[in-house]
Amino acid sequence: MQANTTRGFLWSDVETRTLLNIWGEQDIQAALDGNFRNSFVYRDVSRRLGAMGFERTPEQCRVRIKSLKRQYLLAKEGNLRNNGQYHKICKFYDTMERILSNRPALDPQEFIESGAGAEEAVDGLEEDGEDAQDVYSENASHNVSPLPTSGTSTRPQNSCSQSASNLPARTPKRARKRRANFPMEKLMEQFLEQSAQAEDGFYRMEEQRLQAEDRRREAEHARELHMLQMLGQMFSSISSSRPEKTELKRHCFFITLFISSVFERYYSLGSTSHRGMDDDTLSLVKNIVPPLTSKKHKGQDGRIGIIGGCQDYTGAPYFAAISALKVGADLSHVFCTKDAATVIKSYSPELIVHPVLDSPNAVEEIEKWLPRLHGLVVGPGLGREDLLLKTAKEVIEKSKARDIPIVIDADGLWLVTQQPAVIQGYQKGILTPNFMEFTRLYESLHHEPMDSSDHQRNVMQLSVAMGNLTLVLKGEQDLITDGSKVISCSVEGSGRRCGGQGDLLSGSLGVLAHWAHAASAAGTLRSVNPSMVAAFGACSLTRQCNSQAFQRHGRSTTTTDMIQEIGTAFKKLFES
C-alpha cells in the first residue's frame, strides 16, 4: 500500500479501533506524557499497527488521533450542555473517554500561553496550536475562567459587576463571537455533512473512472474484431481467386505480417495494461469476498473438493484442503487413496476425508458428492499411477458437466500434458503450473522448444492453444492470462521456496474461484473474467503469507508457517 499522509485518507472502523487500542496502551501514554517531541512514539504506534495487518505511516497515525480527539472534545462539550445527546455523534467516544480519563485535564490558559506547544505538552502530540485555540474557544464560550498565571492577581471575584470593572474594556475576538453564534448542533451537522459529501465525491469519481475504463476496453475489442474480420476476408479472397504460385507467396507474406501485427496488439495490450491493474484487480477481489452474517448456514460460503493424496504424498492434499478452510470455505473434502486417508485425518480433524480414490468404483463414489461441491482442486499429491490418473480424468469430465470451477495443479498437470483435451476450452478451468510444468505442457502442445526469454508471450500462446483457459505461471512474478491479456501479480513475497506453497495457492484458488463465479452470476462482477480475478487474489494471498512467515522465521520458513499467516494476510489484503 502506498503511504498517504493526507487528512482525507479513509480509515475503517476496525483499523481505527486497533489504532486506539495501541495508542491507549500504558507504555504509549507514558511516553506521550513525558515528551514534547514524540515522533519516535508514533513510529512505534505505526510499527505495532503494521504488525496487526494495517500499513500506516507515523504521520497518518498522528493525524488520525488528532481528528479523533477533536471529535471527542466536541462530543464531550455537547454532552455537558445537552444531557448526553452528542455521545452518539463520536463513534469512538467510550474508547476515547476510557483513555483520556486517566490523562491530565486540559488547561485552557496553557493553550493560550504556549500556542503550538500547548497541545504537545498536554496531549503528547506534535501539532500546531489550532486544536488548542479551538478548545480554549469552546471553554470561553461556556464562561470557563482561565487559571491565573504568574504575575496575575489571584483575588477572588465577588460579583459579576466587580469582575467587569476590573477587566479592561475591549472588543471580543471575532473568532470567539463566531463560535458563540454557532451552536454545537449546527457545527456537528456541518462536519458530518462535509464528510458525507467528500465520501460521495470519491465514489462518484471512482465510478466514472471504471466506466471510462470499460468504454476503452469495449472500443479495443471492437477494433480487434474488425481486424479479425479483415483477416477472414483476405483468406476468403485467396481461396476464391486461386492465384498463381508467386502471387500466393506474396499473399501469404502479407497475411503473416498481418497475423503478427494482430498478435503484437494482443501482447502489447496485456503487457501494458497489467502495470496499473494491481490495485484495480485487488479491489475486484475485495468485491467477490462474501460478507459474514449470522443469517448464513454451513456450506453456503463454499464446499471444496480435493482430488489427490496417495501413500507417498499425504502433505499436499492436506495443505490444499486446510488452506481452503482458512481462506473461508465452510467445508473441505479430500478424496484420496485408502492408505493415505488415515495419515491425512491425523493431520487435522477439520477435514472430511474419503478413502475412495483407488477403489474399483471410485468415480461413482466421488460423483455422489459432486452436487454438493462448489469447486474442485485436482492434482495435489495425486501421483502418476495410471489408475489414479484415469479416475481423475473421469472426475474432471463429470465436474465439467456440472459447470463446477476446476483448478488443476501438480500431478493433475501431468495428466493435462498427456491429454490436453480433458480440460481444453473449459472456461471455468484454471491451470497453475510452475516453470518446469509449464515448459513441459507448452512443448507438448506446440511440438517445439519454448523460447524462455519471453514469458508473457509464451503464457498467452499456451492459453490460446488450450482454448483461452485461465493460466497462472508461478515465478518471480506470477503471470496470469486468459489469452487476451496478461496481468502480473507482483505482491512482495520472499526468496524462500519450500515444498507445499503451490498447494496453498491451489486450495485458496478453489475457494476464490467459487466466490468469483458466484459474484459474476449475481451481476456483482462485470466485464471481467472471474477466473482471472480469483487467480490474482490467490497469488496475492500466497505471496503475502510467504512474506509474513519469512519475516517471522527467515530461512526456516515452511508451508505450515505460511498457512498460519492466512488469516492476517487475508485481512490485510482484502478486508482493510
Side-chain angles (χ1 to χ4, degrees), residues 303-307 331-335 352-356 362-376 395 399 402 404:
R303 297 183 292 271
I304 307 301
I306 311 296
I307 306 297
L331 296 171
S332 194
H333 297 256
V334 178
F335 300 91
I352 304 172
V353 182
H354 307 269
V356 299
V363 177
E364 291 76 10
E365 289 291 332
I366 298 173
E367 187 178 11
K368 292 190 301 186
W369 288 93
L370 291 182
R372 310 183 193 182
L373 299 181
H374 296 116
L376 202 68
V395 170
S399 302
R402 291 189 172 275
I404 299 174

Side-chain angles (χ1 to χ4, degrees), residues 290-301 330:
L292 296 175
T293 67
S294 59
K295 297 181 179 180
K296 288 186 175 180
H297 55 78
K298 181 176 65 177
Q300 192 169 345
D301 279 343
D330 292 338

Side-chain angles (χ1 to χ4, degrees), residues 202-368:
F202 170 78
Y203 286 122
R204 280 196 301 271
M205 291 178 61
E206 184 67 10
E207 184 177 359
Q208 291 172 0
R209 186 187 66 79
L210 292 175
Q211 290 174 352
E213 181 70 13
D214 289 340
R215 289 193 296 269
R216 183 186 67 80
R217 290 176 182 172
E218 289 174 0
E220 287 173 349
H221 288 319
R223 286 194 295 270
E224 290 158 4
L225 180 61
H226 178 64
M227 293 175 72
L228 292 175
Q229 289 173 346
M230 290 176 59
L231 179 62
Q233 292 172 1
M234 292 174 66
F235 275 118
S236 177
S237 63
I238 290 175
S239 61
S240 60
S241 62
R242 301 192 178 204
E244 296 296 330
K245 186 174 181 180
T246 304
E247 189 177 356
L248 179 62
K249 288 183 178 180
R250 185 169 60 86
H251 278 301
C252 290
F253 174 74
F254 284 112
I255 289 174
T256 303
L257 289 179
F258 186 81
I259 293 174
S260 298
S261 68
V262 171
F263 187 81
E264 287 294 335
R265 177 172 177 78
Y266 270 100
Y267 170 70
S268 62
L269 174 63
S271 61
T272 55
S273 62
H274 80 265
R275 298 170 189 167
M277 284 186 63
D278 277 20
D279 292 339
D280 293 340
T281 311
L282 202 59
S283 66
L284 292 174
V285 179
K286 293 180 181 181
N287 289 337
I288 70 173
V289 177
L292 296 175
T293 67
S294 59
K295 297 181 179 180
K296 288 186 175 180
H297 55 78
K298 181 176 65 177
Q300 192 169 345
D301 279 343
R303 297 183 292 271
I304 307 301
I306 311 296
I307 306 297
C310 60
Q311 183 178 11
D312 295 331
Y313 305 109
T314 58
Y318 161 74
F319 287 145
I322 200 68
S323 298
L325 280 179
K326 285 187 170 290
V327 167
D330 292 338
L331 296 171
S332 194
H333 297 256
V334 178
F335 300 91
C336 61
T337 62
K338 185 176 181 180
D339 49 8
T342 303
V343 181
I344 297 174
K345 284 182 180 180
S346 70
Y347 293 151
S348 173
E350 308 287 348
L351 308 181
I352 304 172
V353 182
H354 307 269
V356 299
L357 196 56
D358 55 350
S359 64
N361 58 339
V363 177
E364 291 76 10
E365 289 291 332
I366 298 173
E367 187 178 11
K368 292 190 301 186

Side-chain angles (χ1 to χ4, degrees), residues 371-537:
R372 310 183 193 182
L373 299 181
H374 296 116
L376 202 68
V377 180
V378 180
L382 179 63
R384 297 182 182 177
E385 293 184 15
D386 291 340
L387 175 62
L388 299 182
L389 292 176
K390 181 175 181 293
T391 300
K393 175 187 175 182
E394 294 183 26
V395 170
I396 291 175
E397 296 290 352
K398 300 289 185 182
S399 302
K400 286 164 55 179
R402 291 189 172 275
D403 202 35
I404 299 174
I406 304 173
V407 178
I408 301 182
D409 185 40
D411 292 324
L413 294 170
W414 176 265
L415 171 63
V416 175
T417 301
Q418 307 302 316
Q419 304 179 55
V422 71
I423 196 67
Q424 197 168 25
Y426 184 57
Q427 295 306 301
K428 289 189 178 182
I430 307 174
L431 306 184
T432 60
N434 59 28
F435 182 75
M436 292 302 298
E437 294 163 339
F438 178 85
T439 302
R440 190 162 51 230
L441 183 58
Y442 181 95
E443 293 179 353
S444 71
L445 267 73
H446 290 83
H447 306 291
E448 61 181 9
M450 183 183 73
D451 178 12
S452 59
S453 63
D454 196 343
H455 293 323
Q456 292 198 11
R457 183 187 294 269
N458 292 336
V459 295
M460 288 188 67
Q461 287 179 337
L462 183 56
S463 176
V464 171
M466 290 296 297
N468 291 94
L469 208 65
T470 298
L471 192 71
V472 180
L473 173 56
K474 299 176 286 191
E476 183 179 0
Q477 288 188 342
D478 297 331
L479 301 180
I480 307 164
T481 183
D482 59 359
S484 63
K485 60 185 175 183
V486 178
I487 59 176
S488 171
C489 179
S490 55
V491 174
E492 184 179 358
S494 78
R496 174 65 170 150
R497 295 290 183 271
C498 54
Q501 294 187 48
D503 304 313
L504 190 159
L505 171 66
S506 62
S508 59
L509 181 51
V511 183
L512 291 170
H514 160 55
W515 290 350
H517 284 283
S520 179
T524 306
L525 200 62
R526 299 177 180 176
S527 304
V528 66
N529 186 342
S531 295
M532 292 272 285
V533 176
F536 184 87

Side-chain angles (χ1 to χ4, degrees), residues 35-190:
N35 295 277
F36 283 7
R37 299 295 173 186
N38 43 55
S39 58
F40 70 95
V41 179
Y42 281 95
R43 284 197 295 270
D44 188 30
V45 171
S46 174
R47 180 184 60 78
R48 297 188 192 184
L49 195 62
M52 300 296 291
F54 303 104
E55 295 295 336
R56 292 286 182 171
T57 65
E59 176 65 11
Q60 287 177 328
C61 296
R62 187 191 69 79
V63 171
R64 181 57 172 161
I65 291 294
K66 174 180 175 179
S67 174
L68 292 169
K69 183 174 173 294
R70 182 184 294 112
Q71 295 176 27
Y72 164 76
L73 291 174
L74 291 173
K76 192 174 183 68
E77 291 294 334
N79 287 336
L80 295 176
R81 295 193 302 154
N82 297 275
N83 298 324
Q85 292 299 315
Y86 283 83
H87 186 148
K88 63 184 71 175
I89 293 178
C90 181
K91 184 182 297 186
F92 307 100
Y93 183 92
D94 293 335
T95 305
M96 295 291 293
E97 176 72 15
R98 173 178 56 80
I99 297 172
L100 296 179
S101 61
N102 297 323
R103 301 288 301 277
L106 297 177
D107 188 346
Q109 188 65 26
E110 288 185 9
F111 281 119
I112 293 179
E113 294 176 352
S114 303
E119 191 166 280
E120 294 175 359
V122 177
D123 196 38
L125 295 176
E126 295 181 5
E127 307 172 352
D128 55 23
E130 174 186 344
D131 285 350
Q133 187 62 42
D134 287 347
V135 173
Y136 174 73
S137 299
E138 286 283 340
N139 292 328
S141 67
H142 302 312
N143 297 325
V144 178
S145 299
L147 296 176
T149 60
S150 57
T152 305
S153 175
T154 58
R155 289 182 301 173
Q157 299 176 354
N158 297 326
S159 65
C160 294
S161 59
Q162 182 178 353
S163 175
S165 64
N166 291 334
L167 293 175
R170 61 178 181 177
T171 304
K173 289 184 179 180
R174 186 180 300 274
R176 293 171 61 184
K177 183 179 293 184
R178 283 201 303 268
R179 178 60 61 87
N181 289 336
F182 284 88
M184 182 63 64
E185 182 178 355
K186 191 70 173 178
L187 290 172
M188 290 307 300
E189 287 179 358
Q190 291 178 355

